[in-house]
Structure formats: structure tokens, C-alpha cells
Amino acid sequence: MPSLIRSFATTARRATFCALVLFLPVGAEAAAPTAQQLAIYEKLPETDRIRLLMQLAKSPDADNVTYLLQRHPLEGPFAANRKLFLEGVVLKSQGKYTQAAAKFRQALADDPSLTLVRAELAETLVILQEDDSALHQLKLLESEAPDAQAASGIRSFIDKVDSRRPLIFTGYVSLAPSTNLNSGSRHSTVYSPTLGFDLTPDAPKSGIGMASGVSAAFSKRLGNDFMFVAAGSADMTLYNEKDFNSYGTSQSIEFRHLLPQGYVGMGVVSSQQFDNQDYGPNYLSYGPRISTSLQVTPQNHLSASVVYEWRDNLTKGAMDSTAIMLDAAWNHGWSSSFNTTIFAGYDRIKTASDVSSYHTFSSGLSVYKELTHGITATLTGTLTETKYDGMNGIAAKIRHDNRVVGSIAITKRDFNIYGFAPSLSYTFVENFSNIGNYDYTSNAIDFRLTKDF
């Protein structure tokens, strides 16, 4: 990691000047600057002062940085963040890692383009064993690596952080507060009793929704070229109206062939859903998956997967189906604080009835941007087209839907709550169908705490 920081700190690699020797005599103990040293310091240009202070911050004379900053404050539009950075480096050199991370976060909250500050923060988070946050910062840094060698160094460091925690447990709880702001509301579909569905339309519902879940992941390196990965999760969503409640679990295992820039994996996936009345299983799915993840360049990452599933509906056997799902995403990092992802997918669901069989095409764009005032915004938009195979008996039409999904998530990354940052998201869904009963609007608000900050 120190080499990573040096690769971004071009000023720190430059030859220093004679005054530096006066402040950093070899083998000297920490001591207050002499009058002669202060006189030299006062005559230095601002850029040379900063280089000197950076060297001092990592030396036995680190305490002198605070003294010099107080005696001769930095000037100019970048002075405040430079001061925070230098204070953070001093705290880090003194082993006060939590306080150092807070200084680095404060500087990034004001200016997320400070790559050197982000590199110091990532290293400090690794020392604190806040691995999720550290990995988030390291992956952002990868897009701003100056060359392939530096990018490879960052990737190697990411792998080392990952390898020191083979078993990972995570969990979440989120709230969707108040009237009609939940993803189970405002559906207006009327189903035919002759087909065995509920005739009662889903009217707008009020109340507070809650979603929670837990997950676990295990990974183990198998020699130099292979890795075994297993994961499982359990999720539930609760509303005042019990009909909207949902409960589910999922599992996956995968063997990955490791490549210089990523991996190719093969494995199996499965999932289960449970009835919200008696909590027994009412749906099972299982099947093979092939996936790949490739860091094509330091700024460009490709991921893709193909899944084939058998889906068993345990309450309505006629709704048993098979599914093939293809997904791909291309992420481009414009800088360490700004990246975009283009994604697309194709699903083919086939049941015994053509009325319930369909193709779905989807595409979308996601934008991640760190702003000033400690705000991170993630905007996502998705367009989905679904075409059914058979004629709808009631409407005498073949159903054709188009759906628009938009979401925005705001994270306050300078609010550190026991290692988490608060995040609030809003999702809007509008479904347009050539059969009017399938038109609907859905809104959802979600509040949770995240380590991606």
C-alpha cells in the first residue's frame, strides 16, 4: 500500500530541498524548530512548505507539523483540505488511526477528487480492519491508477484484504416510512377467478414497511489458479398489510478459474420463497450458472453471467417454469469519485401455458458520483420490455408491457455511525401495458446504513 500512495504523490517523489535537511537531520530526535530553521521555513514558497510538512508528518518530528501550521497557516483555496490531510498523516504516524481516518474523510467530504487523501484513507481503514469500507475506497482508486502496473498493485492489495477474511457475515435493516411509499402499493390489476387468481384488486395501502436480511459468504483459494466461493442469504419484507409480506432465502456455490485480470466461474444457484400465511415454502428454483469478471483496463470492468433455472411452484403446479437469464454490465471509472455502469439483460421464462410465458429485455445506466458536503449520489435508470407468448383470454390480446424504473440513493459519507454511513434511497416504478389492468405505479423509500463510504 505505501507504493500505491507514492504512485499518486508525484510531489512527494520529487527531489527535496536543502531546508529539508535542516528539519530532518539523520538520526535526530524530535525537537522544536530552531530560529534558523523557522527563518528558512518562512522564506519557502507554499508548495515547498507542503512538501516539507509531508516529510515531517511521517518522521519523528511529526509534532512540529502542528506547530508550523499554527505559526504559519497555509493559504489559498486548498489550504483547509491540505491542513486536514497533514493533520491526518500526523495522527496516522502516531498510531491514532480512528482520528486520522476522520481527518481524511473530512477532506474528502469537501473535495472527493483528492486521490492522495483517498489512498491514505484506504490504507488507514485496512489498518483499522474496516475491510468493507477499505475495499470500497480501493476499488474507486483503481480507476485512477496512472498505469497498468499501479492498477495491478491496487488489485493485488484488494486480493490480500479479501483473503484475510475467508468467512464474511453481513446484515441490514431498512425502513420505508409512511403512507403509500412502499413497493407493494398502488397496483390495480384485476385477476380472473377462472384462472385461479384473486379477484380483489390491490388498492393503495398505507403503513410502514421494513426490510431486513442476513447473508454469509465463504471463499477459499485452491492453489494458484482456482478459488471456491459459497454464499447464502435470507431476506424478508414486512408491511402493515400482511398480503404484501415476503420471505426468501438463496444459496450459491461456485468454482472460479483465476485469470490475470479476473476470473471465469461455474457453479449452481438456488432460491426459495415462503408463504406469508403458514410460512411454508411455496416456490423453489435451482440451476447452473456461468459467470465472469474481467478488469479489461484500470478504468474498465466487465461482468457477465448466464443462469438456467428450474422453477417449481409448490402451490400451483401449472405455474412451474424454466428460465434462462443473461446479464452483463460494463463499468467505467472516470475518476476515483465518479463512475458509470451500463447494463443489459435478457430473461426467457417458459411455463406450461403460453399466457404465462414471456421474454424480457432490459437495459439501463447507473451513475455514481461523490459530491461536496460529504454527499454521494447514485442514480439508476432501467427500461424493461416484456412480451408474452399467448393470448390473454380476458382482454383477447397478447400482453405487452414496458416498465420504467428510476432510483436515487443519497449517502452522507462524512457521518460515521459506528463504521456505517446513513443512506436514503427512493425508487419509482411505472408499468405501461397494452392491457389496462396491468398498468401500475409503485413508490418506495428505503433507509439503511452502509459500509460503502
Side-chain angles (χ1 to χ4, degrees), residues 369-395:
K369 177 62 177 175
E370 292 186 1
L371 306 170
T372 58
H373 305 294
I375 293 174
T376 297
T378 304
L379 289 80
T380 305
T382 307
L383 299 176
T384 302
E385 181 182 27
T386 302
K387 296 181 178 180
Y388 286 78
D389 293 359
M391 185 78 68
N392 183 290
I394 301 174

mmCIF file of all heavy atoms in Angstrom, residues 369-395:
data_model
loop_
_atom_site.group_PDB
_atom_site.id
_atom_site.type_symbol
_atom_site.label_atom_id
_atom_site.label_comp_id
_atom_site.label_asym_id
_atom_site.label_seq_id
_atom_site.Cartn_x
_atom_site.Cartn_y
_atom_site.Cartn_z
ATOM 1 N N LYS A 369 -21.527 9.228 -8.112
ATOM 2 C CA LYS A 369 -20.795 10.482 -8.054
ATOM 3 C C LYS A 369 -20.684 10.951 -6.609
ATOM 4 O O LYS A 369 -21.686 11.083 -5.909
ATOM 5 C CB LYS A 369 -21.508 11.556 -8.885
ATOM 6 C CG LYS A 369 -20.856 12.932 -8.816
ATOM 7 C CD LYS A 369 -19.434 12.934 -9.365
ATOM 8 C CE LYS A 369 -18.833 14.342 -9.337
ATOM 9 N NZ LYS A 369 -17.410 14.334 -9.750
ATOM 10 N N GLU A 370 -19.453 11.195 -6.186
ATOM 11 C CA GLU A 370 -19.224 11.785 -4.879
ATOM 12 C C GLU A 370 -19.209 13.301 -5.034
ATOM 13 O O GLU A 370 -18.429 13.851 -5.836
ATOM 14 C CB GLU A 370 -17.910 11.289 -4.279
ATOM 15 C CG GLU A 370 -17.953 9.797 -3.921
ATOM 16 C CD GLU A 370 -16.704 9.345 -3.195
ATOM 17 O OE1 GLU A 370 -15.815 10.187 -2.956
ATOM 18 O OE2 GLU A 370 -16.613 8.149 -2.866
ATOM 19 N N LEU A 371 -20.048 13.968 -4.276
ATOM 20 C CA LEU A 371 -20.196 15.411 -4.338
ATOM 21 C C LEU A 371 -19.555 16.056 -3.109
ATOM 22 O O LEU A 371 -19.084 15.367 -2.196
ATOM 23 C CB LEU A 371 -21.688 15.766 -4.428
ATOM 24 C CG LEU A 371 -22.463 15.090 -5.559
ATOM 25 C CD1 LEU A 371 -23.952 15.319 -5.381
ATOM 26 C CD2 LEU A 371 -21.999 15.599 -6.913
ATOM 27 N N THR A 372 -19.566 17.376 -3.100
ATOM 28 C CA THR A 372 -19.084 18.087 -1.920
ATOM 29 C C THR A 372 -20.095 17.955 -0.782
ATOM 30 O O THR A 372 -21.177 17.395 -0.952
ATOM 31 C CB THR A 372 -18.847 19.563 -2.256
ATOM 32 O OG1 THR A 372 -20.071 20.124 -2.744
ATOM 33 C CG2 THR A 372 -17.772 19.715 -3.320
ATOM 34 N N HIS A 373 -19.732 18.471 0.386
ATOM 35 C CA HIS A 373 -20.560 18.402 1.595
ATOM 36 C C HIS A 373 -20.786 16.955 2.045
ATOM 37 O O HIS A 373 -21.767 16.661 2.735
ATOM 38 C CB HIS A 373 -21.899 19.099 1.396
ATOM 39 C CG HIS A 373 -21.788 20.526 0.936
ATOM 40 N ND1 HIS A 373 -21.249 21.516 1.719
ATOM 41 C CD2 HIS A 373 -22.113 21.112 -0.247
ATOM 42 C CE1 HIS A 373 -21.256 22.665 1.054
ATOM 43 N NE2 HIS A 373 -21.768 22.449 -0.140
ATOM 44 N N GLY A 374 -19.893 16.044 1.643
ATOM 45 C CA GLY A 374 -19.977 14.666 2.102
ATOM 46 C C GLY A 374 -21.128 13.874 1.534
ATOM 47 O O GLY A 374 -21.538 12.867 2.122
ATOM 48 N N ILE A 375 -21.641 14.272 0.383
ATOM 49 C CA ILE A 375 -22.803 13.601 -0.199
ATOM 50 C C ILE A 375 -22.364 12.747 -1.388
ATOM 51 O O ILE A 375 -21.636 13.208 -2.262
ATOM 52 C CB ILE A 375 -23.858 14.621 -0.653
ATOM 53 C CG1 ILE A 375 -24.450 15.341 0.567
ATOM 54 C CG2 ILE A 375 -24.965 13.945 -1.455
ATOM 55 C CD1 ILE A 375 -25.391 16.467 0.214
ATOM 56 N N THR A 376 -22.797 11.507 -1.395
ATOM 57 C CA THR A 376 -22.619 10.622 -2.540
ATOM 58 C C THR A 376 -23.985 10.341 -3.148
ATOM 59 O O THR A 376 -24.927 9.962 -2.434
ATOM 60 C CB THR A 376 -21.960 9.298 -2.132
ATOM 61 O OG1 THR A 376 -20.653 9.563 -1.614
ATOM 62 C CG2 THR A 376 -21.839 8.358 -3.321
ATOM 63 N N ALA A 377 -24.093 10.517 -4.455
ATOM 64 C CA ALA A 377 -25.355 10.263 -5.156
ATOM 65 C C ALA A 377 -25.169 9.114 -6.134
ATOM 66 O O ALA A 377 -24.188 9.067 -6.878
ATOM 67 C CB ALA A 377 -25.816 11.516 -5.900
ATOM 68 N N THR A 378 -26.112 8.185 -6.110
ATOM 69 C CA THR A 378 -26.145 7.092 -7.080
ATOM 70 C C THR A 378 -27.497 7.130 -7.782
ATOM 71 O O THR A 378 -28.539 6.977 -7.140
ATOM 72 C CB THR A 378 -25.946 5.731 -6.399
ATOM 73 O OG1 THR A 378 -24.729 5.739 -5.651
ATOM 74 C CG2 THR A 378 -25.905 4.613 -7.429
ATOM 75 N N LEU A 379 -27.474 7.358 -9.088
ATOM 76 C CA LEU A 379 -28.698 7.424 -9.883
ATOM 77 C C LEU A 379 -28.731 6.236 -10.831
ATOM 78 O O LEU A 379 -27.724 5.933 -11.495
ATOM 79 C CB LEU A 379 -28.772 8.722 -10.697
ATOM 80 C CG LEU A 379 -29.023 10.023 -9.935
ATOM 81 C CD1 LEU A 379 -27.727 10.533 -9.307
ATOM 82 C CD2 LEU A 379 -29.604 11.091 -10.843
ATOM 83 N N THR A 380 -29.878 5.581 -10.897
ATOM 84 C CA THR A 380 -30.034 4.409 -11.754
ATOM 85 C C THR A 380 -31.337 4.500 -12.517
ATOM 86 O O THR A 380 -32.378 4.819 -11.933
ATOM 87 C CB THR A 380 -30.011 3.109 -10.926
ATOM 88 O OG1 THR A 380 -28.812 3.056 -10.141
ATOM 89 C CG2 THR A 380 -30.065 1.889 -11.836
ATOM 90 N N GLY A 381 -31.275 4.229 -13.802
ATOM 91 C CA GLY A 381 -32.472 4.182 -14.627
ATOM 92 C C GLY A 381 -32.500 2.894 -15.434
ATOM 93 O O GLY A 381 -31.472 2.477 -15.983
ATOM 94 N N THR A 382 -33.658 2.243 -15.484
ATOM 95 C CA THR A 382 -33.795 0.969 -16.189
ATOM 96 C C THR A 382 -35.047 0.988 -17.059
ATOM 97 O O THR A 382 -36.110 1.441 -16.615
ATOM 98 C CB THR A 382 -33.894 -0.208 -15.198
ATOM 99 O OG1 THR A 382 -32.790 -0.167 -14.298
ATOM 100 C CG2 THR A 382 -33.899 -1.544 -15.931
ATOM 101 N N LEU A 383 -34.920 0.504 -18.274
ATOM 102 C CA LEU A 383 -36.052 0.314 -19.183
ATOM 103 C C LEU A 383 -36.207 -1.178 -19.422
ATOM 104 O O LEU A 383 -35.230 -1.878 -19.740
ATOM 105 C CB LEU A 383 -35.818 1.029 -20.508
ATOM 106 C CG LEU A 383 -35.638 2.548 -20.453
ATOM 107 C CD1 LEU A 383 -35.308 3.087 -21.852
ATOM 108 C CD2 LEU A 383 -36.890 3.212 -19.909
ATOM 109 N N THR A 384 -37.427 -1.677 -19.281
ATOM 110 C CA THR A 384 -37.700 -3.109 -19.440
ATOM 111 C C THR A 384 -38.882 -3.307 -20.378
ATOM 112 O O THR A 384 -39.905 -2.632 -20.247
ATOM 113 C CB THR A 384 -38.009 -3.758 -18.081
ATOM 114 O OG1 THR A 384 -36.906 -3.561 -17.203
ATOM 115 C CG2 THR A 384 -38.251 -5.251 -18.237
ATOM 116 N N GLU A 385 -38.722 -4.236 -21.306
ATOM 117 C CA GLU A 385 -39.815 -4.601 -22.214
ATOM 118 C C GLU A 385 -40.114 -6.081 -22.046
ATOM 119 O O GLU A 385 -39.204 -6.909 -22.104
ATOM 120 C CB GLU A 385 -39.434 -4.304 -23.667
ATOM 121 C CG GLU A 385 -40.543 -4.654 -24.656
ATOM 122 C CD GLU A 385 -40.141 -4.394 -26.096
ATOM 123 O OE1 GLU A 385 -38.930 -4.445 -26.386
ATOM 124 O OE2 GLU A 385 -41.028 -4.141 -26.931
ATOM 125 N N THR A 386 -41.382 -6.405 -21.830
ATOM 126 C CA THR A 386 -41.796 -7.790 -21.629
ATOM 127 C C THR A 386 -42.875 -8.153 -22.652
ATOM 128 O O THR A 386 -43.888 -7.455 -22.767
ATOM 129 C CB THR A 386 -42.336 -8.012 -20.207
ATOM 130 O OG1 THR A 386 -41.333 -7.662 -19.256
ATOM 131 C CG2 THR A 386 -42.744 -9.463 -19.994
ATOM 132 N N LYS A 387 -42.642 -9.235 -23.366
ATOM 133 C CA LYS A 387 -43.601 -9.727 -24.355
ATOM 134 C C LYS A 387 -44.024 -11.146 -23.980
ATOM 135 O O LYS A 387 -43.178 -12.024 -23.803
ATOM 136 C CB LYS A 387 -42.987 -9.724 -25.754
ATOM 137 C CG LYS A 387 -42.641 -8.340 -26.274
ATOM 138 C CD LYS A 387 -42.063 -8.428 -27.682
ATOM 139 C CE LYS A 387 -41.747 -7.043 -28.240
ATOM 140 N NZ LYS A 387 -41.185 -7.130 -29.614
ATOM 141 N N TYR A 388 -45.319 -11.342 -23.868
ATOM 142 C CA TYR A 388 -45.859 -12.666 -23.531
ATOM 143 C C TYR A 388 -46.104 -13.469 -24.811
ATOM 144 O O TYR A 388 -46.256 -12.909 -25.899
ATOM 145 C CB TYR A 388 -47.145 -12.514 -22.722
ATOM 146 C CG TYR A 388 -46.878 -12.086 -21.293
ATOM 147 C CD1 TYR A 388 -46.584 -10.754 -20.997
ATOM 148 C CD2 TYR A 388 -46.881 -13.005 -20.259
ATOM 149 C CE1 TYR A 388 -46.307 -10.357 -19.694
ATOM 150 C CE2 TYR A 388 -46.614 -12.615 -18.948
ATOM 151 C CZ TYR A 388 -46.330 -11.283 -18.681
ATOM 152 O OH TYR A 388 -46.056 -10.893 -17.393
ATOM 153 N N ASP A 389 -46.170 -14.794 -24.636
ATOM 154 C CA ASP A 389 -46.308 -15.675 -25.797
ATOM 155 C C ASP A 389 -47.749 -15.840 -26.257
ATOM 156 O O ASP A 389 -48.034 -15.872 -27.464
ATOM 157 C CB ASP A 389 -45.738 -17.068 -25.476
ATOM 158 C CG ASP A 389 -44.231 -17.048 -25.286
ATOM 159 O OD1 ASP A 389 -43.644 -15.962 -25.424
ATOM 160 O OD2 ASP A 389 -43.657 -18.109 -25.010
ATOM 161 N N GLY A 390 -48.662 -15.967 -25.284
ATOM 162 C CA GLY A 390 -50.025 -16.358 -25.630
ATOM 163 C C GLY A 390 -51.046 -15.257 -25.452
ATOM 164 O O GLY A 390 -50.796 -14.226 -24.824
ATOM 165 N N MET A 391 -52.228 -15.509 -25.980
ATOM 166 C CA MET A 391 -53.343 -14.570 -25.917
ATOM 167 C C MET A 391 -53.944 -14.536 -24.516
ATOM 168 O O MET A 391 -54.214 -15.571 -23.912
ATOM 169 C CB MET A 391 -54.416 -14.995 -26.918
ATOM 170 C CG MET A 391 -55.584 -14.039 -27.051
ATOM 171 S SD MET A 391 -55.168 -12.609 -28.054
ATOM 172 C CE MET A 391 -54.970 -13.376 -29.667
ATOM 173 N N ASN A 392 -54.134 -13.332 -24.000
ATOM 174 C CA ASN A 392 -54.840 -13.173 -22.739
ATOM 175 C C ASN A 392 -56.332 -13.382 -22.987
ATOM 176 O O ASN A 392 -56.939 -12.660 -23.791
ATOM 177 C CB ASN A 392 -54.576 -11.774 -22.168
ATOM 178 C CG ASN A 392 -55.214 -11.563 -20.816
ATOM 179 O OD1 ASN A 392 -56.424 -11.469 -20.702
ATOM 180 N ND2 ASN A 392 -54.384 -11.479 -19.792
ATOM 181 N N GLY A 393 -56.923 -14.379 -22.294
ATOM 182 C CA GLY A 393 -58.310 -14.755 -22.580
ATOM 183 C C GLY A 393 -59.320 -13.683 -22.271
ATOM 184 O O GLY A 393 -60.374 -13.612 -22.908
ATOM 185 N N ILE A 394 -59.045 -12.823 -21.301
ATOM 186 C CA ILE A 394 -59.988 -11.781 -20.909
ATOM 187 C C ILE A 394 -59.925 -10.604 -21.871
ATOM 188 O O ILE A 394 -60.938 -10.135 -22.385
ATOM 189 C CB ILE A 394 -59.708 -11.306 -19.473
ATOM 190 C CG1 ILE A 394 -59.828 -12.477 -18.501
ATOM 191 C CG2 ILE A 394 -60.640 -10.175 -19.086
ATOM 192 C CD1 ILE A 394 -59.439 -12.133 -17.093
ATOM 193 N N ALA A 395 -58.716 -10.153 -22.151
ATOM 194 C CA ALA A 395 -58.565 -8.966 -22.997
ATOM 195 C C ALA A 395 -58.505 -9.297 -24.478
ATOM 196 O O ALA A 395 -58.570 -8.391 -25.312
ATOM 197 C CB ALA A 395 -57.300 -8.222 -22.597
#
